[in-house]
């Protein structure tokens, strides 16, 4: 479920997010509740095993608005008693009161966007908070009784060194969150960062003010590719020493705290997106909601035509071949890899009959291995995972 509002746009962010007044947030909440009612009526036969409320910054909504949304979810869908229900929060946007309301309403996992424990790096990223503010929010989350917490980190930030990254990892692991996501920074087109670091001059973002441009130009360079790889290896080794198991290329957890929701994406589980621009994958079909705010908020979703037009955009039925390809390249993100048995029961074909040649070639190159019924990437395969995954695409 997507809540698109943020206090301010971070300089590297290409998510569908923007600042919004209380009035806009109210308007959006009402529409989201309307959507929950309409969508849930169409998937009555499903049971929900996980919910992920992301954004944007979901915790920016008022307590009343968020409580109303959570109530609508609980009324609309059949949740399994042990469903994992995650909410993303940003430091500085939660209070003891809001957190206890979230807990009361059934949220049982909190995902916090920290990114770095270095205030200078946080400023370079355009984040609204300092490390101290994160610490206060983290303590509030724990005080409210949440015992399943993720912290999001980003490596390869402008000016970051191996030492400062290690310092971030040290500080965060001392807090003992159950889960850590650590992605390398990607400079996305259309972001202010692309204006500073992107390669293609003609697509640069021209909407920046002079002041913003000056600020960006004063940022230090990005760490080079070798430094980025070193940071990745350091993350893997350091987090292992601290008792975190890497279960996906960029995700680490204490035993039993792997994110069920994300594992669902990587193993071909169906999902329903709710809210502006959210994507769905149901019954072999992919579609998404409109990303246009006014179109979403003004639609009469109870009318079938508006429902189909606004919430079923780019409706596409995947072919068997496309579904098998996705199963492979998403499943290979997981450390344990792709299950040969799972492949056969999902598609009715033996994995070797479909991908035998590619699997053999990847094994010969030392990029993949077969262990206990699973095909997985070797460490060298992880280093060039995009290349390996692309071998499964036609
Ligand atoms: S808080 Fe997250 S979603 Fe919001 S602007 Fe920053 S990176 Fe984007």
């Amino acid at each position: 479920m997507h809540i698109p509002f943020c206090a301010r746009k971070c300089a590297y962010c290409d998510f569908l997010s923007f600042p919004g007044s209380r009035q806009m947030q109210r308007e959006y909440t009402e529409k989201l509740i309307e959507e929950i009612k309409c969508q849930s009526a169409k998937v009555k036969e499903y049971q929900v095993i996980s919910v992920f409320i992301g954004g944007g910054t979901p915790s920016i909504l008022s307590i009343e608005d968020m409580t109303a949304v959570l109530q609508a979810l609980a009324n609309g869908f059949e949740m399994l008693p042990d469903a994992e229900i995650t909410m993303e929060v940003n430091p500085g946007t939660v209070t003891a009161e809001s957190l206890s309301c979230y807990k009361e309403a059934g949220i049982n996992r909190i995902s916090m966007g920290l990114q770095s424990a270095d205030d200078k790096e946080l400023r370079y990223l355009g984040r609204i908070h300092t490390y101290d503010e994160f610490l206060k929010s983290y303590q509030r989350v724990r005080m409210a009784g949440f015992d399943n917490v993720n912290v999001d980190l980003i490596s390869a930030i402008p000016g970051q060194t191996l030492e400062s990254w290690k310092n971030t990892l040290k500080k965060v692991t001392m807090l003992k969150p159950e889960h850590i996501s650590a992605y390398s920074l990607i400079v996305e087109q259309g972001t202010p960062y692309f204006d500073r670091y992107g390669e293609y001059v003609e697509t640069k973002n021209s909407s920046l003010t002079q002041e913003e441009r000056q600020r960006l130009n004063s940022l230090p360079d990005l760490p080079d590719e070798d430094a980025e790889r070193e940071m990745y290896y350091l993350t893997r080794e350091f987090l292992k020493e601290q008792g975190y198991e890497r279960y996906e290329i960029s995700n680490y957890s204490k035993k039993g705290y792997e994110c069920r929701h994300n594992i669902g994406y990587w193993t071909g589980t169906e999902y329903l997106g709710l809210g502006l621009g959210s994507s769905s994958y149901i019954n072999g079909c992919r579609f998404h909601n409109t990303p246009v705010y006014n179109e979403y908020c003004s639609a009469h979703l109870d009318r079938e035509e508006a429902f189909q037009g606004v919430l079923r955009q780019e409706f596409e039925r995947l072919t068997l071949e496309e579904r098998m390809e996705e199963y492979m390249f998403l499943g290979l993100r997981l450390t344990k890899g792709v299950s040969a048995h799972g492949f056969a029961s999902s598609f009715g074909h033996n994995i070797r009959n479909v991908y035998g040649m590619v699997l053999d070639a990847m094994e010969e190159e030392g990029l993949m291995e077969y262990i206990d019924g699973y095909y997985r990437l070797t460490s060298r395969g992880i280093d060039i995972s995009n290349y390996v995954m692309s071998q499964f695409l036609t």
Side-chain angles (χ1 to χ4, degrees), residues 209-257:
T209 63
Q210 207 176 346
E211 199 186 329
E212 285 167 331
R213 193 173 298 280
Q214 269 172 3
R215 203 184 71 79
L216 279 167
N217 288 340
S218 69
L219 295 186
D221 287 340
L222 294 173
D224 63 23
E225 221 174 285
D226 288 345
E228 192 208 319
R229 286 325 293 169
E230 287 300 313
M231 287 181 195
Y232 179 72
Y233 298 140
L234 172 69
T235 313
R236 212 172 53 186
E237 299 315 316
F238 186 81
L239 291 184
K240 191 173 174 189
E241 281 164 24
Q242 302 301 315
Y244 290 88
E245 197 175 315
R246 187 170 63 82
Y247 68 97
E248 192 266 351
I249 292 179
S250 307
N251 283 277
Y252 303 79
S253 78
K254 297 276 185 188
K255 208 165 179 48
Y257 286 95

Side-chain angles (χ1 to χ4, degrees), residues 119-132:
D119 285 345
K120 190 164 40 65
E121 291 170 9
L122 288 172
R123 270 200 313 280
Y124 293 160
L125 289 171
R127 303 285 301 176
I128 57 164
H129 56 87
T130 59
Y131 180 62
D132 265 358

Side-chain angles (χ1 to χ4, degrees), residues 17 151 181 226 387:
S17 67
V151 176
S181 294
D226 288 345
Y387 163 74

